[in-house]
Amino acid sequence: MGVIKISNLHKIYDESKIPVKAVNGIDLTIKQGEFTAIVGPSGSGKTTFLNMVGGLDVPSKGKIEIDGINIGNLPPRQLIDYRLNNIGFVFQAYNLIPVLTAQENVAFIMQLQGKGKNERNKIARELLETVGIGDKIDRRPGDLSGGQQQRVSVARALASKPKFILADEPTANLDSKSTNELLDLMLKMNKELDTTFIFSTHDQRVMDKARRIITIDDGIITSDVQKN
Amino acid sequence: MIWSIAWRNVWRNKLRSLVIMIAVTIGLSGGIIYYAFAKGLMEQRIEAAISNEISNIQIHNPDYLLNEELKFIIKDPENIIHKINKVEGVKAVSSRIKAMGMASTAETGTGVMLNGIDAANEKQVTKISEQLTDGKYLEEKGRIPIVIGQKLAKKLNTKLRSKIVITAANTEGVITYGAFKVVGIYDTENDMFDELNVFVRKNDLARMLGANTSDVNEIAVTLDTHEQTNHVLTILNDEFSKNISQKEILIRPWNKIVPSLNAMIEMMDFLSYIFMVIILIALAFGIVNTMLMVVMERIKELGMLKAVGMNNKRLFRMIMLETIFLSIIGGLFGLFISYVTIQYYGHYGMSLAAFQEGYNALGFSSIVYLEAETSFYIFTTVLVIITAILASIYPAQKALKLNPATAIRENN
Ligand SMILES: Nc1ncnc2c1ncn2[C@@H]1O[C@H](COP(=O)(O)OP(=O)(O)OP(=O)(O)O)[C@@H](O)[C@H]1O
Ligand SMILES: [Mg+2]
């Protein structure tokens, strides 16, 4: 359950005259329940890598198998449904639907999944309670701080009961206090629900919280450290 | 929730949405009010034509229609009139002797249509008697009276109680004269009619032209309502099928008598619909433009929605709904404004005093009572929705083509 097996992954951007080898042969296995940070200098290929793992971008070569399913083989329409039901996303910014309240944002994902109104509202409330903003469920994103918005994002990512959550620099726009709180929250969710988290970061303090740190440089893995 | 997202999205950029809503409002009310104006104008023209000039149904000797001569009379008119009067829906029947002639004063002369009528019956059939600006309507007593139109009075430079001489060919084709005293002057909204038609007593005209006083060239029938025209026509055609097959008489409804009027109405109607479609095509460009701006502005948000699992169908529906809301709000305002305007001017009339002469010369009234059928409102509403749906396709397509990975990346 929840095993991501990546083999010989490549991504070459060749829209411009000089092709860019953003990901240049990555082999990696991530197991259920991991709390993994992807680190590396700017332009090293972190976002490109996460996008492919999340099924947002198509690899130029290699494959990504999630529980035995090669997501590169899924037709576009099925891939969207696959993302909806199996992958949670937390982005750096523009994460939430600005016209919906916190609760509606979380419930919306479940509506896309076809859950009933009462059920999704109940789960949304509970999740927002868990991420610590149970008293602000009727606020719209614009009326929440950056840290609070990211908590809503985590709640939304969890709402679809995904196999794993991908977060591309989730703390890049946050101050250090909010960064700490968000990481603690993610760690708590990881422990309580056994949800896999894979996130990229530049931030040393964020890396310190990770239990596995994968360093990428020029599109290849240069180190892979497991902590205990 | 897609509905409520779409609805709330409309209000994200209030000014921009308002601009396009106002454009839709103005465009629609302009189109609808134009239609109601044209419709009112035409309906009034028909109403006037029927009540002043032609009545609902006319009966002639078919030969008279080919050649408007005194001698082509209707056989046994008493019996026909008697039978028509018994048909349900018939309000009144009038019989006329008609002849072309010259009306002259000491100064000048002009061609006229002589209508020899029975005043009591004619009053029931046409409303000329109610449109006198001066004098009275063919009183029974007094010396050979005549009622003429104001336009003719002006042309002949004559006035009430003056004498005019009528010249016409009698039944033998010999030119005869008669002196008439102007006892009434009428004024309808149709200058052409007023200039041409004069009314005299049937007996006076028959005597002058050597015809029988019981001769009839034309029978005019007025009904309780115009809607009954076709129904009564069928009954009459049935009743007199023998006379018709023997080519003794021909029965025609108003729209066959003046087919040009009918064609004009259909034309006006058609043009109004075309006009409405053109307005909406113009508005569609504005709507497309607004929605394209919306999509461009929300690239990241739309990318995020695709990333987290919103499929194309839902994305399309969301954008389409936003477009429909955007258009329909302006549409509803437009309908409301035009409804109120039409109700108001439908009741009090829209005065075009400044253009009175031009309108009257063409036979139209210068006070127009606006009117619009419910079906036109429905047509417009449906058209707005179709426009919105069509206008949403291109912007929505742009959104569908977004690659979520690149959309989210765009200069964070
Ligand atoms: N659409 C694209 N077309 C061409 N080149 C691209 C495209 N997207 C990314 N790249 C290039 O691919 C390389 C990897 O970029 P990527 O965004 O994955 O790096 P990153 O590690 O996420 O960087 P950062 O830490 O700044 O977010 C970079 O050299 C980048 O310029
Ligand atoms: Mg990046």
Side-chain angles (χ1 to χ4, degrees):
Chain A
M1 263 303 283
V3 180
I4 307 166
K5 203 163 170 293
I6 295 152
S7 39
N8 195 26
L9 195 66
H10 284 78
K11 179 70 184 180
I12 302 166
Y13 292 110
D14 50 8
E15 295 112 63
S16 51
K17 280 180 198 128
I18 315 140
V20 182
K21 293 180 177 174
V23 170
N24 205 9
I26 289 184
D27 292 279
L28 184 67
T29 301
I30 294 171
K31 290 196 286 296
Q32 167 72 39
E34 283 194 14
F35 197 71
T36 299
I38 311 284
V39 304
S42 185
S44 56
K46 303 182 294 292
T47 298
T48 307
F49 171 71
L50 287 177
N51 281 346
M52 286 190 288
V53 176
L56 302 178
D57 218 344
V58 191
S60 309
K61 212 168 112 189
K63 61 182 178 182
I64 299 157
E65 278 176 306
I66 300 169
D67 287 337
I69 296 172
N70 181 354
I71 61 166
N73 285 345
L74 293 174
R77 211 180 297 177
Q78 276 181 39
L79 189 58
I80 292 182
D81 282 341
Y82 188 86
R83 288 202 298 265
L84 173 63
N85 293 310
N86 299 285
I87 309 171
F89 290 93
V90 177
F91 304 105
Q92 181 183 330
Y94 299 97
N95 237 322
L96 301 168
I97 303 170
V99 295
L100 295 185
T101 64
Q103 184 183 343
E104 287 168 334
N105 262 290
V106 178
F108 181 62
I109 281 290
M110 292 182 272
Q111 193 196 10
L112 293 182
Q113 287 181 314
K115 284 208 178 81
K117 192 174 180 163
N118 291 335
E119 190 192 358
R120 60 182 192 245
N121 281 340
K122 185 169 159 276
I123 297 175
R125 269 197 307 274
E126 285 168 4
L127 279 170
L128 288 168
E129 201 77 52
T130 319
V131 300
I133 49 166
D135 55 336
K136 298 181 180 67
I137 60 170
D138 287 327
R139 290 212 195 161
R140 292 195 184 182
D143 298 328
L144 294 171
S145 72
Q148 289 165 343
Q149 286 183 42
Q150 288 306 59
R151 283 157 183 267
V152 179
S153 306
V154 171
R156 186 201 49 200
L158 289 166
S160 63
K161 296 219 161 64
K163 284 188 166 53
F164 59 95
I165 291 178
L166 294 175
D168 191 10
E169 308 208 28
T171 60
N173 290 358
L174 302 183
D175 58 33
S176 56
K177 184 166 167 277
S178 305
T179 298
N180 252 326
E181 286 170 359
L182 189 74
L183 255 294
D184 288 342
L185 171 68
M186 283 162 58
L187 207 48
K188 186 179 121 191
M189 293 293 117
N190 169 255
K191 278 186 184 132
E192 280 177 15
L193 305 171
D194 200 29
T195 307
T196 313
F197 277 83
I198 306 164
F199 52 95
S200 70
T201 187
H202 276 122
D203 192 330
Q204 189 59 49
R205 285 162 303 171
V206 175
M207 291 175 218
D208 292 345
K209 302 240 177 193
R211 284 204 303 267
R212 180 179 178 187
I213 300 174
I214 296 166
T215 311
I216 297 182
D217 207 347
D218 273 342
I220 52 165
I221 295 177
T222 52
S223 91
D224 184 348
V225 182
Q226 196 93 33
K227 289 195 273 180
N228 287 309
Chain B
M1 223 180 285
I2 285 177
W3 284 71
S4 90
I5 295 175
W7 173 255
R8 293 181 205 176
N9 275 341
V10 170
W11 304 105
R12 272 167 81 169
N13 190 330
K14 288 200 185 68
L15 182 64
R16 187 173 61 200
S17 295
L18 231 50
V19 167
I20 197 75
M21 283 172 197
I22 290 169
V24 174
T25 305
I26 292 173
L28 276 200
S29 34
I32 297 173
I33 291 167
Y34 164 80
Y35 165 81
F37 179 84
K39 185 94 184 156
L41 203 63
M42 292 315 300
E43 291 290 330
Q44 274 167 263
R45 176 72 194 98
I46 294 170
E47 177 58 38
I50 291 174
S51 60
N52 294 336
E53 303 162 24
I54 46 190
S55 64
N56 296 99
I57 293 169
Q58 286 186 359
I59 299 168
H60 296 93
N61 179 331
D63 291 328
Y64 178 84
L65 296 174
L66 297 175
N67 204 344
E68 295 190 357
E69 280 185 49
L70 193 56
K71 64 180 181 198
F72 298 125
I73 56 171
I74 295 168
K75 214 171 130 192
D76 200 5
E78 289 297 320
N79 181 35
I80 291 175
I81 292 167
H82 181 72
K83 280 182 180 164
I84 294 173
N85 266 319
K86 281 202 284 196
V87 174
E88 197 174 306
V90 170
K91 194 174 129 208
V93 184
S94 173
S95 57
R96 302 164 183 158
I97 295 183
K98 297 186 80 165
M100 285 302 295
M102 279 279 288
S104 17
T105 56
E107 286 166 53
T108 178
T110 183
V112 291
M113 171 57 77
L114 301 162
N115 292 276
I117 56 163
D118 177 78
N121 286 337
E122 189 66 34
K123 265 186 186 173
Q124 309 274 319
V125 173
T126 58
K127 289 190 182 141
I128 300 296
S129 61
E130 293 166 20
Q131 309 201 22
L132 297 182
T133 54
D134 223 349
K136 289 203 175 107
Y137 194 62
L138 300 178
E139 281 171 300
E140 282 306 310
K141 298 175 290 200
R143 281 188 55 82
I144 319 185
I146 187 167
V147 171
I148 65 173
Q150 196 163 43
K151 196 84 185 167
L152 182 65
K154 215 178 266 171
K155 197 168 175 188
L156 293 175
N157 197 12
T158 187
K159 57 183 192 301
L160 203 65
R161 282 186 287 280
S162 304
K163 213 193 260 174
I164 57 177
V165 174
I166 298 291
T167 316
N170 71 8
T171 46
E172 262 115 54
V174 178
I175 304 294
T176 53
Y177 305 88
F180 290 78
K181 186 177 160 197
V182 179
V183 296
I185 293 176
Y186 71 89
D187 183 23
T188 72
E189 279 144 359
N190 187 351
D191 287 349
M192 289 175 285
F193 180 85
D194 297 0
E195 202 175 308
L196 187 66
N197 286 280
V198 301
F199 297 88
V200 297
R201 290 190 302 215
K202 201 171 159 189
N203 291 353
D204 294 342
L205 189 62
R207 206 174 304 128
M208 172 183 154
L209 300 177
N212 208 314
T213 52
S214 63
D215 284 354
V216 171
N217 296 116
E218 181 172 281
I219 296 173
V221 183
T222 289
L223 307 178
D224 294 327
T225 65
H226 300 330
E227 285 70 41
Q228 288 169 299
T229 305
N230 285 330
H231 177 64
V232 173
L233 184 72
T234 320
I235 294 174
L236 293 183
N237 275 330
D238 221 41
E239 172 86 37
F240 300 111
S241 58
K242 226 173 111 197
N243 310 52
I244 292 167
S245 65
Q246 287 173 359
K247 298 215 165 27
E248 286 172 10
I249 59 169
L250 191 68
I251 309 176
R252 296 180 307 161
W254 66 268
N255 52 3
K256 289 274 158 52
I257 299 167
V258 274
S260 59
L261 205 54
N262 217 28
M264 200 146 67
I265 293 161
E266 275 166 19
M267 193 67 175
M268 277 264 202
D269 245 29
F270 179 69
L271 283 180
S272 299
Y273 280 79
I274 295 290
F275 191 43
M276 206 70 230
V277 171
I278 292 172
I279 289 176
L280 278 160
I281 289 173
L283 288 175
F285 281 94
I287 298 168
V288 168
N289 185 49
T290 301
M291 288 313 292
L292 274 178
M293 281 161 81
V294 163
V295 169
M296 293 308 155
E297 233 174 54
R298 296 190 202 146
I299 282 183
K300 272 193 200 139
E301 193 180 320
L302 294 167
M304 179 272 288
L305 287 170
K306 283 184 96 160
V308 300
M310 191 165 181
N311 62 27
N312 281 353
K313 210 169 103 190
R314 287 169 166 143
L315 203 62
F316 192 96
R317 203 189 317 151
M318 187 178 83
I319 288 169
M320 197 175 77
L321 280 173
E322 183 171 344
T323 319
I324 291 176
F325 287 143
L326 190 68
S327 321
I328 209 89
I329 295 168
L332 287 177
F333 267 106
L335 286 175
F336 175 74
I337 288 172
S338 22
Y339 180 77
V340 170
T341 309
I342 291 166
Q343 286 304 109
Y344 180 84
Y345 286 109
H347 190 254
Y348 296 105
M350 186 181 265
S351 174
L352 301 163
F355 314 106
Q356 180 165 5
E357 267 187 39
Y359 273 82
N360 286 2
L362 291 170
F364 290 107
S365 166
S366 58
I367 295 181
V368 181
Y369 295 88
L370 304 192
E371 67 174 89
E373 282 160 358
T374 318
S375 61
F376 193 74
Y377 288 111
I378 295 169
F379 166 79
T380 311
T381 311
V382 171
L383 212 56
V384 171
I385 295 171
I386 292 173
T387 306
I389 290 172
L390 294 179
S392 67
I393 290 175
Y394 181 59
Q397 215 108 53
K398 287 252 163 198
L400 297 191
K401 279 202 195 114
L402 287 178
N403 175 336
T406 30
I408 295 164
R409 238 176 224 274
E410 242 166 76
N411 47 343
N412 254 341

